[in-house]
Amino acid sequence: MAVCAHCGAEVGVASTGGAEFCCRGCRAAYSLVRGMGLDQYYRRRSIDPTQRPLRPDDEAGPVDYSAQVHPSDDGIVGLHLMVEGMHCAACVWLIESILARQPGVIEARLNMTTRRLVVRWRDGETNANAVLAPVIAIGYRLQPYDPARLGRESERVEKELLRAMAVAGFAAGNVMLFSVSIWAGQSGSMDWVTRSLFHWISALIALPAVVYCIRPFARSAFSALRAGRSNMDVPITIGVTLASAMSLWETMRGGPHAYFDAAISLLFFLLIGRYLDSRARGRARSSAEHLLALGAVTVTVLDGDGTRRLLPPEQVQLGMTVLVATGERIGADGTVTDGQSEIDTSLITGETVPAPVEPGATVFAGTLNLSGPLKLEVTAVGESTLLAEIVRMMEVAEQGRARYVAIADRVARYYAPVVHLMGLVTFLGWEIFTDTPWQVALLYAVSVLIITCPCALALAVPVVQVVASGRWLRRGILAKSATAQERLASVDWVVFDKTGTLTEGRPELQAGHWTQEDLRQAASIAAASKHPVARAVARAMPDVPVADDVREVAGCGLAYGDIRLGSRQWLGLPDDPAEASGPELFLARPGHPAVRFGFRDPLRADAKDVVALLKHKGYRLTLLSGDRRSVVETIAGDLGIDDWQAGCKPADKCARLAALAGAGHKVLMIGDGLNDAPALASAHVSMSPSSAVDISQTVADVVFQGHLLSPVIEALAVARKAGALVRQNFALALGYNLLTIPLAIAGQVTPLIAAISMSTSSVIVISNALRLSRGRLW
């Protein structure tokens, strides 16, 4: 079987119970490979970077990946594959580094949780087979991306752990019966012949069980050693092997120091801990992985002659007509052409109330059709769907490298040499400076090897990130930046935009002194914009064609030749207190007086409650709006925001944010994404309310869905709690090591207690992180 190029774990055997746990051992050797350099690494592994990709387990010949390539209009082509045999972050680093060195490659990203590999390169400079050749040459298997494969490996590993755990438990129980008899006979009631007989019976039970049960650890350890590296399974394998070999030697010579019970019990509790760790990880499993499962459905395609075909989503093409029966998940993005129903959009918006749809409505892959059959015209498939876009954002959030990850990496980097040195020093110290028998000193060294495993430290950050991202997703919150959670936790000042943020963003056109011709011309220009006020004008006359060559001036309005549709300030019109009753646009044409369009934009239903809670939690609040002073003053007064500024252009908002940052404040900017783009980009962290179709277009770090403002509270609360849990996990992990390592060196911890302690520390860290997924935080 192929092996992991960095840690030596065999493909298909997650020998440490999960990708994250194995990652710590590889990160211990990470610095060695980095210092060696990839060129020298190629030479050591006899890799030819120019060879064609071959199947590691198939003699059928080269695999052609060109059919999986996705071209784009900008001359950049991409490839989405799934990597099999990747278990750790060090493997992620290795694969990304190798791909980044290939000619023409501009991006290579591999997500450890979903195992999705995304490679993009300049068309014409290279091809898919040449790019992927070095990765396949070092033993990884690349498959077309299939979400159904994601859970198979963890299921296989858990079954193997269960079988090994059952064997170890049965053997440990039987060996313990003989051990209790030996312990009871130490007072002199048992002669050496009977003791030796019991030792031999224990050996006959324990040694075959040890050989069988140590396989998940030994395979990884031996493969790592063959590659000239170490991982965390090496000391475990060494410890169990030494204890078993010493016990067999003592039994053969009739000595008293046989510890078969310790060896098999140690394995039993290590396997229990590893299995519980794997199950706990399953509860915190990537939300992106769960999302991908929602997209794996069969699509019913209607042909022109009325016949039906069942196709997998990846074979559906744009423009096809598909039928979605009641109770089915939608397999592709599309527009409703026939039928009426209600759609469960909680996946997209976080809201549990079904959304009614009718002909002309847009629906998205992964949502659930509840009440009636629908016919759809497909508008996006595969990696172009909204579901795929959300998954990509989730992957970015879950694999973010915050400063705590860097700390854990630096600590884990020195794990391998330090733990082996500590075990050796413990053995030599007890053997040289005390009268302790060497057999007992060896058991003390085994305890040190087992108890120093830094798995809890390795889990301190990633498990919290995954749980926090999952909770955000359930509330309709999506992170587009890998460090958004960490930056949100440090926020002390919140700056709001008004239109589309504090208000609903769907202003309605009010009656005024304008004609149908005025409205027709304004609607034609406004249809080219996505600003909420412009959309309201377009909705008032939806059949008007969209004007060509409309230019949008951020924070001001729209320009169409000599015609302007925009704000009073931009057009140089004087203030009129009699018209200061809400949002407005003016249509200015040469030779005609300016025409005013007035709008009403109500506050979001929970805006007052959200603002009050933020103030109660100690946040400073500011309202910056490009609207007129009278309108902004009214909104600020209704919400209780004392610090507000009207008539702000994008440059004014950026200047205010820079001033706050210069005073040492960490500012959260919340804006509607388009005209607030400069301010969103310049803030310490930013959020944007966005409809589903706008998710990939906003520059904000975090996007939230739905008609309420409460996701702002949820995002801040989760970020603060996540930061606190990370610090708690670090304290638990470091406290565990500071407490147990001295006790193990001092001979106060047996191998059995070491195994229980090491496994328990990992489960405690994961359980602590899972508290984030339940209950109210504020």
Side-chain angles (χ1 to χ4, degrees):
M1 298 179 67
V3 299
C4 170
H6 208 69
C7 71
E10 292 183 355
V11 171
V13 179
S15 58
T16 55
E20 297 84 356
F21 191 84
C22 177
C23 161
R24 295 305 99 183
C26 289
R27 285 181 178 172
Y30 170 87
S31 58
L32 297 178
V33 175
R34 183 173 58 178
M36 180 193 309
L38 288 174
D39 292 333
Q40 184 178 352
Y41 186 79
Y42 285 158
R43 290 193 294 271
R44 285 190 57 180
R45 298 300 298 272
S46 301
I47 296 172
D48 179 6
T50 63
Q51 70 178 359
R52 282 180 59 81
L54 297 175
R55 290 188 179 95
D57 57 350
D58 192 350
E59 299 179 356
V63 179
D64 186 4
Y65 290 94
S66 58
Q68 308 296 327
V69 173
H70 303 283
S72 61
D73 297 333
D74 56 1
I76 305 299
V77 295
L79 192 62
H80 295 260
L81 297 171
M82 185 167 67
V83 180
E84 294 186 353
M86 188 273 295
H87 301 293
C88 58
C91 294
V92 173
W93 169 84
L94 181 63
I95 293 173
E96 289 181 344
S97 300
I98 290 174
L99 291 173
R101 292 167 59 90
Q102 304 306 305
V105 173
I106 61 175
E107 179 188 20
R109 190 178 75 226
L110 175 60
N111 182 268
M112 188 173 68
T113 306
T114 61
R115 284 155 261 168
R116 180 203 294 259
L117 173 64
V118 179
V119 188
R120 299 173 68 239
W121 64 89
R122 289 182 288 272
D123 193 15
E125 295 189 22
T126 186
N127 59 70
N129 295 326
V131 169
L132 300 175
V135 176
I136 297 181
I138 57 178
Y140 295 98
R141 292 185 295 188
L142 303 180
Q143 303 287 346
Y145 197 69
D146 180 9
R149 296 176 179 262
L150 289 175
R152 296 176 186 171
E153 188 170 327
S154 59
E155 292 177 2
R156 181 170 59 251
V157 169
E158 288 183 3
K159 289 181 179 178
E160 181 185 22
L161 290 173
L162 273 176
R163 289 193 296 267
M165 187 169 61
V167 172
F170 175 81
N174 285 276
V175 171
M176 197 61 67
L177 294 175
F178 295 99
S179 297
V180 170
S181 300
I182 294 172
W183 298 338
Q186 287 182 347
S187 59
S189 59
M190 180 180 292
D191 57 23
W192 71 271
V193 176
T194 306
R195 182 188 65 197
S196 296
L197 175 63
F198 282 8
H199 280 168
W200 276 112
I201 297 175
S202 298
L204 291 174
I205 298 173
L207 292 180
V210 167
V211 171
Y212 177 81
C213 299
I214 203 174
R215 293 182 308 158
F217 309 98
R219 277 195 295 257
S220 174
F222 291 154
S223 298
L225 292 175
R226 284 198 303 268
R229 295 176 180 82
S230 176
N231 63 12
M232 289 186 298
D233 287 331
V234 171
I236 291 176
T237 304
I238 291 175
V240 175
T241 302
L242 286 177
S244 301
M246 181 196 68
S247 299
L248 180 60
W249 169 257
E250 284 290 294
T251 299
M252 293 172 64
R253 61 184 292 269
H257 299 288
Y259 300 104
F260 294 109
D261 54 341
I264 190 62
S265 298
L266 171 63
L267 267 180
F268 178 54
F269 282 99
L270 284 172
L271 289 166
I272 290 177
R274 188 149 294 182
Y275 178 76
L276 292 177
D277 178 61
S278 178
R279 297 296 297 174
R281 290 171 195 266
R283 291 187 57 196
R285 184 171 296 161
S286 165
S287 298
E289 185 172 330
H290 293 306
L291 280 176
L292 287 170
L294 296 179
V297 296
T298 300
V299 179
T300 303
V301 177
L302 296 178
D303 293 330
D305 57 1
T307 59
R308 301 183 183 184
R309 289 184 294 152
L310 296 179
L311 295 179
E314 60 270 16
Q315 295 183 15
V316 177
Q317 299 179 3
L318 298 179
M320 282 185 170
T321 299
V322 301
L323 176 66
V324 183
T326 303
E328 283 187 350
R329 287 202 178 272
I330 298 173
D333 292 0
T335 302
V336 177
T337 59
D338 185 29
Q340 293 183 343
S341 183
E342 291 183 322
I343 301 296
D344 179 2
T345 62
S346 58
L347 170 68
I348 306 299
T349 65
E351 296 183 356
T352 58
V353 178
V357 294
E358 56 186 13
T362 301
V363 294
F364 301 99
T367 55
L368 185 64
N369 182 22
L370 296 178
S371 57
L374 295 172
K375 290 183 180 180
L376 313 176
E377 180 181 348
V378 176
T379 58
V381 295
E383 293 298 321
S384 300
T385 63
L386 174 66
L387 181 63
E389 176 68 22
I390 293 176
V391 169
R392 286 192 287 271
M393 286 190 287
M394 290 296 299
E395 290 174 348
V396 169
E398 291 178 352
Q399 67 183 12
R401 294 182 59 83
R403 68 176 187 271
Y404 293 115
V405 178
I407 294 173
D409 284 348
R410 287 196 296 269
V411 173
R413 185 178 302 167
Y414 302 103
Y415 158 75
V418 170
V419 67
H420 293 99
L421 179 62
M422 290 176 60
L424 179 61
V425 169
T426 300
F427 174 76
L428 293 177
W430 281 96
E431 177 65 16
I432 295 174
F433 299 107
T434 70
D435 296 330
T436 303
W438 70 268
Q439 297 92 337
V440 178
L442 185 61
L443 280 185
Y444 294 162
V446 169
S447 298
V448 172
L449 291 176
I450 300 301
I451 210 165
T452 50
C453 179
C455 52
L457 181 63
L459 292 169
V461 181
V463 70
V464 175
Q465 287 182 319
V466 171
V467 174
S469 298
R471 175 159 180 156
W472 272 8
L473 178 66
R474 292 192 297 273
R475 305 304 195 277
I477 305 169
L478 297 169
K480 298 191 68 178
S481 168
T483 59
Q485 289 180 14
E486 183 178 347
R487 285 182 285 146
L488 275 172
S490 62
V491 165
D492 61 356
W493 201 299
V494 181
V495 175
F496 287 100
D497 176 46
K498 180 183 71 68
T499 304
T501 304
L502 290 173
T503 62
E504 290 184 355
R506 278 186 60 92
E508 299 298 331
L509 179 64
Q510 296 179 319
H513 301 290
W514 39 261
T515 65
Q516 287 297 311
E517 182 59 31
D518 295 334
L519 179 59
R520 179 180 298 275
Q521 192 162 24
S524 178
I525 299 172
S529 173
K530 292 186 177 180
H531 192 280
V533 175
R535 288 179 176 179
V537 177
R539 285 197 304 271
M541 194 165 284
D543 297 330
V544 175
V546 181
D548 296 327
D549 299 325
V550 176
R551 179 170 57 90
E552 183 156 3
V553 181
C556 297
L558 303 170
Y560 175 57
D562 294 334
I563 303 175
R564 301 288 187 270
L565 180 66
S567 65
R568 183 188 295 268
Q569 291 82 358
W570 185 44
L571 299 178
L573 301 175
D575 287 334
D576 185 352
E579 296 178 345
S581 59
E584 59 183 3
L585 283 179
F586 286 85
L587 178 66
R589 297 163 293 183
H592 294 78
V595 177
R596 178 182 183 272
F597 296 94
F599 307 86
R600 178 180 177 272
D601 189 9
L603 290 172
R604 291 181 182 254
D606 62 343
K608 292 183 179 180
D609 295 334
V610 169
V611 168
L613 183 55
L614 288 174
K615 293 173 68 175
H616 176 70
K617 292 297 180 179
Y619 291 98
R620 302 281 296 276
L621 305 182
T622 296
L623 172 59
L624 301 179
S625 175
D627 211 336
R628 290 169 295 116
R629 177 183 178 87
S630 57
V631 177
V632 177
E633 184 177 14
T634 300
I635 295 293
D638 292 342
L639 295 175
I641 300 177
D642 300 325
D643 183 12
W644 56 271
Q645 185 176 342
C648 293
K649 295 182 179 180
D652 299 327
K653 295 182 180 181
C654 291
R656 181 63 188 279
L657 293 177
L660 292 173
H665 295 290
K666 305 296 185 182
V667 181
L668 165 62
M669 175 68 195
I670 307 175
D672 61 359
L674 184 59
N675 61 327
D676 292 316
L680 291 171
S682 63
H684 176 66
V685 64
S686 55
M687 295 184 67
S688 176
S690 182
S691 64
V693 294
D694 295 329
I695 282 180
S696 62
Q697 300 173 22
T698 179
V699 300
D701 299 305
V702 179
V703 176
F704 61 91
Q705 300 290 296
H707 301 293
L708 300 177
L709 203 59
S710 58
V712 173
I713 297 294
E714 181 72 13
L716 289 169
V718 169
R720 280 195 171 185
K721 184 65 173 179
L725 289 176
V726 166
R727 291 189 293 271
Q728 291 173 17
N729 281 352
F730 266 105
L732 288 170
L734 294 175
Y736 156 78
N737 284 281
L738 291 175
L739 174 64
T740 57
I741 292 176
L743 291 175
I745 294 175
Q748 302 301 310
V749 178
T750 66
L752 179 59
I753 299 300
I756 296 174
S757 301
M758 184 268 288
S759 302
T760 302
S761 66
S762 298
V763 175
I764 289 176
V765 164
I766 295 175
S767 299
N768 188 50
L770 288 173
R771 294 194 298 125
L772 183 60
S773 64
R774 301 184 297 271
R776 295 186 60 181
L777 302 179
W778 281 359

